[in-house]
Amino acid sequence: MDSNHVSPMRVAAVVAFYMGAALVMVFVNKTVLNSTPDTPLLFLFLQLTIAVILLHATALFSSRIEIPHWDLHTAKKLLPVVTINIVGLVFNTLCLREVEASFFQIARGLVLPLTIAVTSVTTHSHPAARVIIAAGIVTVGFFIGVAPAGNLPVTSIPSPISLFYGVFSSLAIAIHTVLIKSSLPYCNNSTIQLAYWTNAGSAILVAPFVLLLGEPARILELSASPEWNMKVFVWGSLVTGFFGFLLCVAGLLSIKVTSPVTHMFSSAARSVIQTLLGVWLFQDVLTVNRVTSLMTILSGTMYYTWIKATNQAQAPPPARPVDLEALNRSRDDKDESNDVQVQEKKATGSD
């Protein structure tokens, strides 16, 4: 599907769907990671597995949901997007565990410039100057949030390892966002099939590391402790598994009907809402740096939205399809008229 011919209402609906699912995922994830910080990969594996089960269950009740057949050739073609997906998810989870929910998007501030860079390299194109300026404004907003603030409590200061996780998460997300469009043809251009391959493949890839790190044994140890609330882990896994399923489909749809850069700018706008909710739900600290960061991000996002609206307004209307039948009729009428004129001239000359 060409994103240039998708209605604005459809794009807005898809982006809103994506943002809503992502916000629920972040805050439920953060709640579980606060309760059980030592089993991030097991928690991630359960989310992916639940998403796969939900896809199978949905396929039983809807003919529109088509579960792809396991095929080694297709699996090899999709290995890059599946691998980079699980790498991004792992670094996302580790980053969220280490930072406040309101700081999560700020810690991943390099997503925008890296997405533009990866898109330019893969498409052998140069982004427009105004797009670079808009991305620069948003990126400056992220780095304002990262800058040290003297009035922060020790528990709210991001550690170097959290920023390391954020940088690698940003790189993985940028590559994954660009790889999705090139991977869709291997799944019959079906976002559902790609979502299935992505979730199932990621679960298979992360499972050995869950066992090697001994995370199931840690859960057994925690279950023997009266201080640990197992309900938070169980319900958190179920809820994030469900919304992870929605988020996977929503993210794929967002990229399919927009562009990788537009998709990332919607993520930037989501970070503003996420920060405010973090302050409300987790009592995260909101400093002058972070307020300035939010305002800068909003400014860059609105500027980019204005650029896109201006480009669409200036774009030439699509060419009208040629009516070959009418064209042929016109030619036939012209030929008949010429024949009549020739016959009249011959008749006049004979007289």
Side-chain angles (χ1 to χ4, degrees), residues 105-126:
Q105 288 296 108
I106 297 176
R108 304 184 308 161
L110 294 179
V111 171
L112 288 171
L114 288 175
T115 300
I116 293 175
V118 172
T119 303
S120 299
V121 170
T122 55
T123 60
H124 305 287
S125 62
H126 299 284

Side-chain angles (χ1 to χ4, degrees), residues 10-75:
R10 185 175 181 182
V11 173
V14 169
V15 171
F17 175 39
Y18 167 76
M19 290 176 64
L23 286 170
V24 172
M25 278 293 291
V26 168
F27 287 105
V28 178
N29 270 333
K30 184 60 179 174
T31 301
V32 175
L33 290 171
N34 285 346
S35 171
T36 316
D38 296 330
T39 58
L41 296 187
L42 176 60
F43 181 44
L44 182 58
F45 172 77
L46 292 174
Q47 291 178 5
L48 295 167
T49 303
I50 291 171
V52 172
I53 294 172
L54 287 173
L55 280 168
H56 277 284
T58 307
L60 296 176
F61 300 98
S62 174
S63 59
R64 296 183 179 181
I65 305 297
E66 183 180 355
I67 302 298
H69 298 289
W70 282 94
D71 174 41
L72 185 59
H73 177 73
T74 304

Side-chain angles (χ1 to χ4, degrees), residues 26 191 202 256 258 267 287:
V26 168
T191 54
S202 297
K256 186 176 181 180
T258 61
S267 298
T287 64

Side-chain angles (χ1 to χ4, degrees), residues 308-327:
K308 296 293 289 183
T310 303
N311 290 343
Q312 290 179 358
Q314 294 177 349
R320 296 177 62 184
V322 178
D323 189 341
L324 295 178
E325 185 178 349
L327 183 61

Side-chain angles (χ1 to χ4, degrees), residues 191-214:
T191 54
I192 297 296
Q193 290 192 23
L194 184 55
Y196 180 85
W197 277 105
T198 300
N199 282 279
S202 297
I204 292 171
L205 290 179
V206 79
F209 295 95
V210 173
L211 297 176
L212 287 173
L213 294 175

Side-chain angles (χ1 to χ4, degrees), residues 139-152:
T139 305
V140 167
F142 279 116
F143 278 105
I144 290 174
V146 172
N151 57 341
L152 274 176

Side-chain angles (χ1 to χ4, degrees), residues 18-19 105 108 111-112 138-139 142 261-275 293-294 297-298 300-301:
Y18 167 76
M19 290 176 64
Q105 288 296 108
R108 304 184 308 161
V111 171
L112 288 171
V138 174
T139 305
F142 279 116
V261 178
T262 303
H263 175 71
M264 285 304 148
F265 271 95
S266 69
S267 298
R270 187 187 78 233
S271 69
V272 176
I273 304 173
Q274 187 171 298
T275 300
S293 172
L294 294 178
I297 292 166
L298 275 177
T301 303

